[in-house]
Amino acid sequence: MRDLSAELLAWYDTHAREMPWRVAPADRKAGVLPDPYAVWMSEVMLQQTTVAAVRDYHRKFMTVWPTVRDLAAADDADVMAAWAGLGYYARARNLLKCARAVVADYDGVFPDTYAELLKLPGIGPYTAAAVAAIAFDRPETVVDGNVERVMARLYDIHAPLPGSKAELTARAAELTPQTRPGDYAQAVMDLGATICTPRSPACGICPWRDDCAARIAGTAAELPKKTPKKKTPTRFGIVYVARRTDGAWLLETRPETGLLGGMLGWPGSEWGDNPEPQPPFAADWRELTEEARHTFTHFHLRLKIMVARTGPATQPLRGEFLSQAKFNPTALPTAMRKVFDLASVTLRDD
Ligand code: SF4
């Protein structure tokens, strides 16, 4: 077998995708170093999210908080609001915790090894490997879904995921070079994202086509195999959207722990099979005919929406009224934004 990593790096030299946090291979060779802060932020944002969705958020965060010290000093609510729409909100809370730990424990300088990075809050094995490789050119093996797919095909591995993870990681590790490991990590991910795509891999223009066992066997499109998932359950909830006669909206900051923790939302019930009504104050609540639906990683959510208008003297049991001027619907996480979009038709300004 030829030197696969060298072949892939040669391909990457001309085909690397442009990303706001990435140093292009030619610049990297000329001595330009990546900004570890920008790389770390991209990796946290990219967990469970596509590059296309992350680009604008990354630009926004780097503009508002250009250094890790700026981010560490930011208000939690501002960061949560800036993250709104990107999903998986625990990542935003961890982003802040990690920035503060880098400032407090490492004097604002990101540690440059896998082992030290792994000690930081919110950095698991994948992110530690990715940051060590991409930001510090350490020969760590970075395995995401793209890399798993490419390895399964390159070696024609038919054992299904997630059981085959260890074998695919071992194969990826064998290929990780000592020279330019950072570029190599990004090159395999780019290959998986642009050429060795899930449905119809473009084997004809792939730098690994002559060595790829699945291409030769004609099995590429059916790999990687996956163990079938269980059916996604549905949970139900009730949310209460109240508007005061002066235009203010009743909102609450959700508890730190749990889904959408620390984010702005509408008061409501627990989410489960049969939620108990929990109105935040007594009123003539009216049920909307349409419910809000949203899908999280492990379940579908269906929210029944109750709306009410109320007077200036109302004292809610939870949450607080935010004036129309202070309320920014884009600061809501997507599930709560969907509720707003439906409820605001009924509760719009007269
Ligand atoms: S030859 Fe085809 S299946 Fe094999 S790695 Fe390249 S794109 Fe993927």
Side-chain angles (χ1 to χ4, degrees), residues 150 153-154 191 195-197 201-203 206-209 212 214-215 220:
V150 174
R153 289 172 174 173
L154 184 60
L191 186 74
I195 304 271
C196 195
T197 52
C203 300
C206 175
W208 281 349
R209 62 187 173 276
C212 178
R215 187 195 66 76

Side-chain angles (χ1 to χ4, degrees), residues 69-288:
R69 285 186 191 280
D70 297 318
L71 184 62
D75 270 355
D76 291 34
D78 291 344
V79 173
M80 300 310 285
W83 192 278
L86 202 51
Y88 301 92
Y89 297 95
R91 293 181 299 166
R93 293 194 298 280
N94 282 330
L95 193 81
L96 265 174
K97 272 192 214 152
C98 184
R100 287 169 184 158
V102 168
V103 170
D105 303 337
Y106 296 90
D107 199 21
V109 179
F110 271 87
D112 64 358
T113 62
Y114 173 83
E116 283 296 313
L117 285 161
L118 203 52
K119 291 180 188 168
L120 288 165
I123 295 196
Y126 170 79
T127 307
V131 176
I134 298 168
F136 301 111
D137 222 15
R138 301 275 183 191
E140 300 293 348
T141 304
V142 187
V143 184
D144 67 354
N146 283 321
V147 179
E148 285 172 350
R149 183 171 60 256
V150 174
M151 291 302 130
R153 289 172 174 173
L154 184 60
Y155 296 103
D156 200 27
I157 294 168
H158 287 244
L161 280 164
S164 57
K165 236 177 207 318
E167 186 183 0
L168 298 174
T169 302
R171 293 292 197 167
E174 284 164 16
L175 287 179
T176 301
Q178 294 298 314
T179 51
R180 301 180 62 196
D183 278 350
Y184 175 79
Q186 297 175 93
V188 199
M189 289 193 253
D190 277 17
L191 186 74
T194 62
I195 304 271
C196 195
T197 52
R199 278 167 211 278
S200 42
C203 300
I205 52 168
C206 175
W208 281 349
R209 62 187 173 276
D210 292 341
D211 296 286
C212 178
R215 187 195 66 76
I216 293 162
T219 53
E222 60 192 76
L223 295 176
K225 297 244 161 80
K226 290 185 182 163
T227 306
K229 278 189 189 155
K230 288 199 205 107
K231 197 172 171 293
T232 311
T234 299
R235 290 188 202 164
F236 300 86
I238 310 168
V239 279
Y240 296 86
V241 183
R243 197 155 191 216
R244 233 170 29 191
T245 39
D246 64 357
W249 299 85
L250 180 62
L251 287 141
E252 68 176 7
T253 302
R254 295 177 59 82
E256 276 295 311
T257 51
L259 263 168
L260 310 183
M263 299 296 294
L264 205 58
W266 309 103
S269 69
E270 300 286 319
W271 300 343
D273 287 338
N274 202 1
E276 287 283 316
Q278 285 186 7
F281 58 87
D284 184 15
W285 292 98
R286 194 156 70 76
E287 182 180 338
L288 294 190

